[in-house]
Amino acid sequence: MNLVDTASIAISVASFLAAVASVAVAFRARGDSRRSADAAEAAEHRAARPRLLVEPEGAVPHNATEVIYRVHNLDGPNLASVVVHRPVVEPADRGGAIYPVAATGRGDYGDDAEIGPIPLAGYSRFTFKLGSRESLPDFRVKITYRTSTGTPWEVSAPLTTPRGPTQLQAAREVRQRQLEERVAADQRILEQARRVSYQLHGGGGHGGDGPNFVMTSLHVTVRNDSDLLATDVRLVVGENDFTWSPQGGDPVSPGQQIYELADLPRGALQGALHSEASRRPLRSYPSRLEYKLDGRRFTRSGEDDPPLPAG
């Protein structure tokens, strides 16, 4: 083979490879164009898809054996056909029960029911057989629907529990609500009770700094920072060694502070210390403040202790 023949063969091979490459590029371009068109068509299909809403038409008794649901066409085009398929649940949940459906007003219960057409913003109804079981599984129904142009869609929708509670369940729910309301009310009143406080300081006395010291008066301060009227206010020092109440037994209004220099009866608080006189905190005797808020009695033992309900 001479050089001319070799060159001719090389040129032919190169031309063939170039042709193959051109065909491959063309096929790839066609594939990319087709995928883009498919993606655009799919996006357009999704955008045009009507949204459906499935809801019970109304509550039914706890022992009801059927319930009516509405299927709303919320947006998108008018629907020419809407088919509701009976809900399918796991065998372990349904216990062999079958839950047939029918267009409301018709008695041809079966595996599916045509309830269309449904115009935009309109609705249609289907009736769902529940059976007589007291407890029901969670239901989902498949709905297939299409427009007048034949565009098909499919959706799986959960069904809201249609039955009301049994009398026993209703009674339990009422008791639970009442308990929660009582707990919340107790928390609110206790928070108010925390905002009633007092301070107790020693007053005057005689006998010097020693065992012969006798305290003759106390500085009493009661403050009500709650939103409620404090009534039956009573301060007890020691084991009823000394008791004090506002003059005339008056209540302490919200935001009010009462201060009084109270005289001690002869012989009261004989163990008080000279170091507690002259407006210094009285620590040698226990004390407590008793009061009522909204008819509830509370006790604070010590100036800084939290209040406790007193019955």
Side-chain angles (χ1 to χ4, degrees), residues 63-74:
N63 57 351
T65 58
E66 63 181 37
V67 63
I68 297 174
Y69 283 89
R70 291 183 179 184
V71 179
H72 296 263
N73 180 7
L74 297 180

Side-chain angles (χ1 to χ4, degrees), residues 29-144:
R30 176 183 291 182
D32 292 343
S33 176
R34 180 62 182 174
R35 282 191 292 273
S36 297
D38 290 344
E41 183 179 351
E44 183 179 356
H45 183 72
R46 287 193 300 271
R49 176 175 183 158
R51 289 189 304 119
L52 302 184
L53 171 66
V54 183
E55 62 177 358
E57 187 167 74
V60 297
H62 72 276
N63 57 351
T65 58
E66 63 181 37
V67 63
I68 297 174
Y69 283 89
R70 291 183 179 184
V71 179
H72 296 263
N73 180 7
L74 297 180
D75 54 26
N78 298 333
L79 299 177
S81 173
V82 179
V83 178
V84 178
H85 302 263
R86 71 171 177 85
V88 178
V89 296
E90 294 296 327
D93 291 333
R94 76 185 192 194
I98 295 176
Y99 306 96
V101 294
T104 300
R106 298 177 56 177
D108 53 344
Y109 288 91
D111 291 343
D112 52 58
E114 170 66 68
I115 64 170
I118 304 179
L120 173 62
Y123 69 87
S124 188
R125 304 186 302 166
F126 70 91
T127 304
F128 169 34
K129 284 286 189 181
L130 300 174
S132 59
R133 295 180 61 192
E134 183 171 332
S135 61
L136 296 174
D138 293 330
F139 293 115
R140 295 186 72 90
V141 292
K142 182 178 73 171
I143 301 177
T144 53

Side-chain angles (χ1 to χ4, degrees), residues 2-295:
N2 56 34
L3 292 176
V4 174
D5 294 335
T6 301
S8 298
I9 292 173
I11 292 172
S12 298
V13 171
S15 299
F16 173 75
L17 293 176
V20 170
S22 298
V23 171
V25 169
F27 270 104
R28 182 181 301 169
R30 176 183 291 182
D32 292 343
S33 176
R34 180 62 182 174
R35 282 191 292 273
S36 297
D38 290 344
E41 183 179 351
E44 183 179 356
H45 183 72
R46 287 193 300 271
R49 176 175 183 158
R51 289 189 304 119
L52 302 184
L53 171 66
V54 183
E55 62 177 358
E57 187 167 74
V60 297
H62 72 276
N63 57 351
T65 58
E66 63 181 37
V67 63
I68 297 174
Y69 283 89
R70 291 183 179 184
V71 179
H72 296 263
N73 180 7
L74 297 180
D75 54 26
N78 298 333
L79 299 177
S81 173
V82 179
V83 178
V84 178
H85 302 263
R86 71 171 177 85
V88 178
V89 296
E90 294 296 327
D93 291 333
R94 76 185 192 194
I98 295 176
Y99 306 96
V101 294
T104 300
R106 298 177 56 177
D108 53 344
Y109 288 91
D111 291 343
D112 52 58
E114 170 66 68
I115 64 170
I118 304 179
L120 173 62
Y123 69 87
S124 188
R125 304 186 302 166
F126 70 91
T127 304
F128 169 34
K129 284 286 189 181
L130 300 174
S132 59
R133 295 180 61 192
E134 183 171 332
S135 61
L136 296 174
D138 293 330
F139 293 115
R140 295 186 72 90
V141 292
K142 182 178 73 171
I143 301 177
T144 53
Y145 53 105
R146 61 178 176 81
T147 64
S148 57
T149 60
T151 305
W153 285 278
E154 179 180 307
V155 66
S156 176
L159 296 183
T160 303
T161 301
R163 284 179 176 168
T166 65
Q167 291 183 345
L168 180 59
Q169 290 171 330
R172 287 173 178 169
E173 290 175 2
V174 169
R175 287 197 297 270
Q176 181 63 28
R177 274 198 308 274
Q178 291 173 341
L179 175 61
E180 292 173 356
E181 290 170 359
R182 283 199 301 271
V183 170
D186 289 345
Q187 290 296 326
R188 288 193 297 269
I189 192 70
L190 187 59
E191 179 58 34
Q192 293 293 323
R194 291 190 180 101
R195 297 164 67 180
V196 179
S197 58
Y198 77 100
Q199 292 180 336
L200 191 59
H201 298 85
H206 59 78
D209 185 9
N212 296 323
F213 174 75
V214 177
M215 189 170 288
T216 58
S217 62
L218 290 176
H219 296 274
V220 179
T221 304
V222 176
R223 183 172 182 81
N224 181 10
D225 289 319
S226 78
D227 300 326
L228 303 172
L229 189 70
T231 61
D232 294 355
V233 178
R234 179 171 177 260
L235 179 65
V236 180
V237 183
E239 297 297 330
N240 289 316
D241 295 271
F242 171 72
T243 61
W244 170 91
S245 295
Q247 290 185 358
D250 292 338
V252 184
S253 301
Q256 183 182 8
Q257 176 175 293
I258 292 179
Y259 164 76
E260 184 177 327
L261 179 61
D263 292 330
L264 292 174
R266 181 182 297 274
L269 307 187
Q270 292 186 4
L273 304 177
H274 183 273
S275 60
E276 296 174 323
S278 302
R279 287 185 175 272
R280 283 168 287 196
L282 182 70
R283 304 295 189 191
S284 57
Y285 279 82
S287 61
R288 68 180 185 273
L289 181 70
E290 300 173 353
Y291 54 100
K292 283 184 179 180
L293 293 179
D294 198 26

